[in-house]
Amino acid sequence: MNCKSIFYILGWILRVEGLFLFLPMIVALIYGEDTWTVYLICAALTFAAGLALSWKRSGNFRLFAREGYVAVALGWVLMSLIGAVPLWAAGDIPHFVDALFEIISGFTTTGSSILVDVEAISRGGMFWRCFSHWIGGMGVLVFLLQIIPLSSGQIMYLMRAESPGPSVSKLVPKVRETAFVLYGIYLAMSVLEIFFLLIGGMPLFDTLCTTFGSAGTGGFAIWGDSMARYSPYLQIVVTVFMFLFGVNFSFYYLLLTKRVKEAFQIEEVRAYFGIFAASTVLIAFNILSQVGNLADSFRHAAFQVSSVMTTTGFATTDFNLWPEFSRTLLVLLMFIGACAGSTGGGIKVSRILMYLKTIKKELAFLVHPRSVKIVMMDGKKLEHTVVRAANIFLITYLVILAFSILIVSLDGSDFTTTVTAVITTLNNVGPGLSLVGPMGNFAFFSDLSKFVLMFDMLAGRLEIFPLLLLFVPYTWKK
């Protein structure tokens, strides 16, 4: 283990986070809040610490797979610990464990909140928690790859550890250029959403916070009723952009390079569109008698399917009161999640397709034992290592899910609350059902349960294994 290389990467992470902390300071100044000094001090100290760690790269600098995974996992933990300090020091969230829960939920784009009265916190604090979604959506390491002086091979180790999905592919020949393209698309889509929300009359502050949440598929709302108070037009705009940010960004790159046919040949994207459409129709008709209007029924259904499937977590209504069929379908969508290579969470549509294709292959093998079946995706053979990795991911995912439910159940909450709290944090969704529904919160959980749920949020965002490696003894051997 080359610790100097890891410290160098962590230093760059702190430098970037320090710069980001100046933004809520500016917001606090604009609104005349005294908390601006807290953000100024935190920003300066964080940037100075990062500068000290990354001022000079060691001559013995080596970054391989192990160092890459550890640097990413430690980077997210360190970034969260520091990000919680201003929320706690400014008095917005007096209990540090709660502040840590809130900011981890922000960076991992989960959106689960411990705030009982979200409207009571300062504007600077509100901006920081919402902006954390935008930072974590594409990933701070993907941003750093554009400025850190590393070779393409070293960059790929970092990118693989942070990017969501079963595999990471380069959109362009050079990895650094891939990172630039990804953030370019991310920024352009964010600006576009801001434009459409402003046209609809949404206030600028609300627009920025809403865009941060939908672009990062996080879902921190600035009002207690989430998105319910906004007009149908604004809700439709957010629905569309949540859905778009859940699409594999390779799809957009192919469209930009005028390879439209190739873009729509991506099986995962086609399946994602199909699942969204089918789920919206089923829920719309299931809640029709409750809503009373077909147009409103489809609007609420499309918004909630888009929000849950992309693991954003916004809400236009309390879906906890919907019929059992609709609630069950939403829970299933929490597991499926968005596309690989998007800002969404969950197991990912690509893995679900792999599992279905593998089941089909095994069934065919039972009927024709001597036949040779190959699992194909997008017209290409899926390598055994990719299928194997997807299977191991699912097993590990289920083990973590089971143990987390067991530990959180010690709090004595009802079964639905306990199970959906773990499901929603592990899949980076945000709201669950019952006490953790869209109009509820996570404040009532014990500190032990909150730490378990924080671990789940980080594990879900980092695709489990980078975080688990921190607990394996041989990871740290030289």
Side-chain angles (χ1 to χ4, degrees):
M1 175 65 69
N2 192 326
C3 293
K4 290 183 179 179
S5 302
I6 294 173
F7 286 140
Y8 180 76
I9 300 298
L10 294 180
W12 273 99
I13 291 174
L14 294 183
R15 286 166 72 168
V16 171
E17 186 172 16
L19 291 175
F20 283 152
L21 279 166
F22 281 109
L23 294 178
M25 180 203 74
I26 294 172
V27 172
L29 278 171
I30 291 172
Y31 284 93
E33 297 171 342
D34 295 335
T35 55
W36 71 270
T37 55
V38 173
Y39 286 97
L40 174 61
I41 293 169
C42 289
L45 292 177
T46 302
F47 186 81
L51 205 60
L53 286 172
S54 60
W55 181 254
K56 187 178 180 181
R57 195 167 77 173
S58 169
N60 190 32
F61 185 90
R62 295 194 315 274
L63 191 68
F64 298 109
R66 180 170 57 166
E67 285 83 3
Y69 284 114
V70 170
V72 167
L74 285 179
W76 277 75
V77 172
L78 182 61
M79 188 170 63
S80 300
L81 288 169
I82 291 173
V85 171
L87 291 176
W88 168 70
D92 284 324
I93 304 179
H95 188 33
F96 185 77
V97 173
D98 286 345
L100 184 61
F101 183 98
E102 194 77 8
I103 204 64
I104 287 178
S105 181
F107 282 134
T108 59
T109 71
T110 302
S112 301
S113 179
I114 51 80
L115 293 173
V116 177
D117 183 9
V118 67
E119 299 166 32
I121 73 170
S122 67
R123 288 288 178 167
M126 186 78 75
F127 182 89
W128 177 234
R129 66 191 282 273
C130 292
F131 186 56
S132 65
H133 280 333
W134 198 85
I135 297 171
M138 185 56 65
V140 69
L141 266 296
V142 175
F143 176 79
L144 285 176
L145 297 182
Q146 302 172 59
I147 55 178
I148 300 180
L150 297 176
S151 68
S152 294
Q154 294 168 334
I155 287 175
M156 183 54 81
Y157 290 133
L158 294 174
M159 198 166 181
R160 282 175 179 165
E162 189 179 50
S163 298
S167 62
V168 176
S169 60
K170 292 186 286 186
L171 302 181
V172 292
K174 293 184 179 180
V175 184
R176 195 183 304 278
E177 291 179 15
T178 297
F180 182 80
V181 169
L182 288 174
Y183 248 98
I185 296 171
Y186 188 52
L187 180 60
M189 290 175 62
S190 299
V191 171
L192 198 61
E193 182 177 2
I194 290 172
F195 173 75
F196 280 109
L197 291 176
L198 289 175
I199 286 178
M202 183 180 281
L204 179 60
F205 185 82
D206 296 36
T207 295
L208 292 174
C209 291
T210 301
T211 299
F212 294 152
S214 47
T217 61
F220 272 153
I222 62 175
W223 301 104
D225 58 0
S226 191
M227 296 292 296
R229 66 177 55 208
Y230 296 113
S231 68
Y233 165 80
L234 292 174
Q235 292 176 2
I236 291 169
V237 170
V238 174
T239 300
V240 171
F241 277 95
M242 285 190 298
F243 177 79
L244 293 177
F245 279 106
V247 175
N248 191 320
F249 276 41
S250 297
F251 175 78
Y252 299 125
Y253 177 76
L254 291 172
L255 291 181
L256 288 172
T257 53
K258 299 180 180 180
R259 289 182 278 174
V260 179
K261 185 178 179 181
E262 191 177 342
F264 283 96
Q265 285 178 343
I266 301 176
E267 289 186 51
E268 180 184 34
V269 174
R270 297 205 308 269
Y272 175 74
F273 288 177
I275 294 170
F276 170 80
S279 300
T280 298
V281 171
L282 289 171
I283 291 178
F285 282 104
N286 187 237
I287 65 173
L288 181 58
S289 60
Q290 195 175 82
V291 176
N293 179 288
L294 187 61
D296 288 341
S297 180
F298 265 94
R299 175 166 54 84
H300 287 306
F303 186 98
Q304 220 50 69
V305 169
S306 182
S307 179
V308 169
M309 190 173 178
T310 62
T311 70
T312 304
F314 283 139
T316 55
T317 186
D318 188 358
F319 60 79
N320 197 38
L321 303 176
W322 283 0
E324 197 64 33
F325 174 81
S326 294
R327 298 199 311 156
T328 303
L329 183 53
L330 288 177
V331 172
L332 293 176
L333 292 176
M334 291 180 188
F335 282 107
I336 295 172
C339 295
S342 72
T343 61
I347 294 175
K348 305 292 184 302
V349 175
S350 58
R351 284 199 183 94
I352 300 298
L353 287 175
M354 282 188 205
Y355 299 141
L356 293 175
K357 287 173 178 286
T358 302
I359 291 171
K360 181 181 177 181
K361 174 189 172 183
E362 289 303 313
L363 289 174
F365 181 76
L366 289 175
V367 177
H368 304 286
R370 295 185 179 181
S371 65
V372 178
K373 297 290 182 181
I374 300 174
V375 179
M376 305 284 287
M377 184 81 79
D378 300 329
K380 300 176 183 176
K381 177 186 174 182
L382 273 180
E383 297 296 333
H384 173 71
T385 53
V386 176
V387 178
R388 173 181 167 275
N391 292 336
I392 293 174
F393 172 87
L394 182 61
I395 294 169
T396 311
Y397 172 95
L398 293 174
V399 169
I400 292 175
L401 182 73
F403 273 99
S404 297
I405 291 173
L406 185 63
I407 297 172
V408 174
S409 68
L410 292 172
D411 279 3
S413 299
D414 63 271
F415 182 78
T416 302
T417 296
T418 300
V419 172
T420 58
V422 173
I423 291 173
T424 196
T425 49
L426 186 56
N427 291 298
N428 304 133
V429 178
L433 298 176
S434 192
L435 298 180
V436 292
M439 303 305 162
N441 59 73
F442 289 68
F444 61 89
F445 284 111
S446 66
D447 284 354
L448 173 61
S449 291
K450 286 173 183 172
F451 276 112
V452 171
L453 297 176
M454 282 188 271
F455 174 86
D456 289 343
M457 287 188 279
L458 286 168
R461 175 59 183 82
L462 297 178
E463 302 276 290
I464 298 176
F465 294 107
L467 192 63
L468 288 184
L469 279 177
L470 298 181
F471 303 95
V472 179
Y474 59 71
T475 300
W476 305 97
K477 293 181 180 179
K478 292 185 178 181

